[in-house]
Amino acid sequence: DGGITQSPKYLFRKEGQNVTLSCEQNLNHDAMYWYRQDPGQGLRLIYYSQIVNDFQKGDIAEGYSVSREKKESFPLTVTSAQKNPTAFYLCASSTDYQEKLFFGSGTQLSVL
Amino acid sequence: DQQVKQNSPSLSVQEGRISILNCDYTNSMFDYFLWYKKYPAEGPTFLISISSIKDKNEDGRFTVFLNKSAKHLSLHIVPSQPGDSAVYFCAASPPPGDYKLSFGAGTTVTVRA
């Protein structure tokens, strides 16, 4: 079955700790995205990547970092510089511009 | 600055009746619009889309209407079913060259039996 797999489903971060959220897709999609969802707000774009070894900042990139070493993988690191990391994080992919996004099932990150 | 707005955070409708969800946008460069449906603790799934060259697109019980002059679109669900209870996000896409979708805050639909 083709799709996007995010792990873990729940993640807890301690003060000053970096944590990495995993996102893997087997849809052969070129573009991948990370969004953050907060209660009462829309999905806000953190980073996106159109091709391997290239990525661009979204609207709220501060305190986050990404890599795109493989087409299938687009991990997101939430660094200690992100002061309000508690949120639901969604990874998505698409074949091309304007193509509908396919989302993973999300990771809920909370601060201990 | 939110470019896509869904001003109704929630909507309650009786089973069998019509659900109408509204979405307004400010950026006249948007030329493609999508609706996503999301259940709790899951990722959104694509529902229906419309290009700016059309004013209506229909897919089964779901119809999206676009009024470009008013920068407004709406999603109609007829008839509403209990499984339609979810959060619905409106999204807008700019012209080619920009991969960034802009999402609204979502509308939570509850279908009452």
Side-chain angles (χ1 to χ4, degrees):
Chain A
D1 266 345
I4 299 180
T5 302
Q6 286 188 245
S7 62
K9 195 164 182 64
Y10 300 97
L11 185 59
F12 298 91
R13 192 191 90 166
K14 295 180 181 178
E15 290 286 339
Q17 186 183 37
N18 293 353
V19 292
T20 297
L21 285 61
S22 170
C23 178
E24 303 277 332
Q25 56 101 355
N26 60 5
L27 299 167
N28 199 34
H29 286 172
D30 289 314
M32 296 187 75
Y33 313 77
W34 275 104
Y35 285 89
R36 168 178 171 146
Q37 185 190 11
D38 293 280
Q41 295 195 40
L43 306 182
R44 293 185 290 167
L45 184 65
I46 305 172
Y47 268 98
Y48 65 105
S49 167
Q50 299 175 14
I51 56 172
V52 175
N53 292 322
D54 186 53
F55 48 83
Q56 283 79 41
K57 292 182 179 180
D59 299 318
I60 54 166
E62 186 174 350
Y64 300 97
S65 66
V66 293
S67 63
R68 186 87 187 275
E69 298 176 1
K70 299 187 299 181
K71 187 175 185 178
E72 303 78 19
S73 179
F74 192 41
L76 173 75
T77 297
V78 184
T79 75
S80 56
Q82 173 48 246
K83 298 307 179 188
N84 185 22
T86 297
F88 190 59
Y89 290 86
L90 286 161
C91 179
S93 70
S94 68
T95 56
D96 201 351
Y97 159 75
Q98 283 196 346
E99 286 293 315
K100 59 186 181 183
L101 298 182
F102 289 81
F103 284 88
S105 56
T107 293
Q108 176 63 51
L109 175 63
S110 303
V111 177
L112 289 176
Chain B
D1 179 30
Q2 203 163 9
Q3 299 186 76
V4 178
K5 297 181 182 179
Q6 294 176 255
N7 292 319
S8 297
S10 63
L11 172 70
S12 180
V13 63
Q14 190 144 21
E15 182 178 1
R17 299 291 188 106
I18 184 171
S19 295
I20 299 176
L21 291 76
N22 294 304
C23 178
D24 296 294
Y25 61 95
T26 57
N27 188 343
S28 58
M29 297 298 288
F30 288 146
D31 70 348
Y32 193 70
F33 303 89
L34 308 92
W35 285 92
Y36 286 84
K37 177 179 178 180
K38 183 183 182 300
Y39 294 115
E42 293 184 11
T45 55
F46 170 78
L47 191 58
I48 192 169
S49 62
I50 188 167
S51 166
S52 60
I53 62 173
K54 295 185 176 182
D55 56 16
K56 177 183 174 181
N57 188 28
E58 196 170 350
D59 183 3
R61 296 185 298 114
F62 303 92
T63 302
V64 56
F65 296 91
L66 175 62
N67 182 334
K68 282 185 294 182
S69 61
K71 294 191 181 70
H72 176 83
L73 64 156
S74 61
L75 174 68
H76 293 207
I77 306 173
V78 184
S80 299
Q81 298 175 353
D84 296 331
S85 296
V87 179
Y88 290 79
F89 290 100
C90 172
S93 178
D98 189 336
Y99 278 64
K100 297 190 295 182
L101 283 180
S102 293
F103 283 85
T107 297
T108 300
V109 172
T110 303
V111 179
R112 309 185 309 271

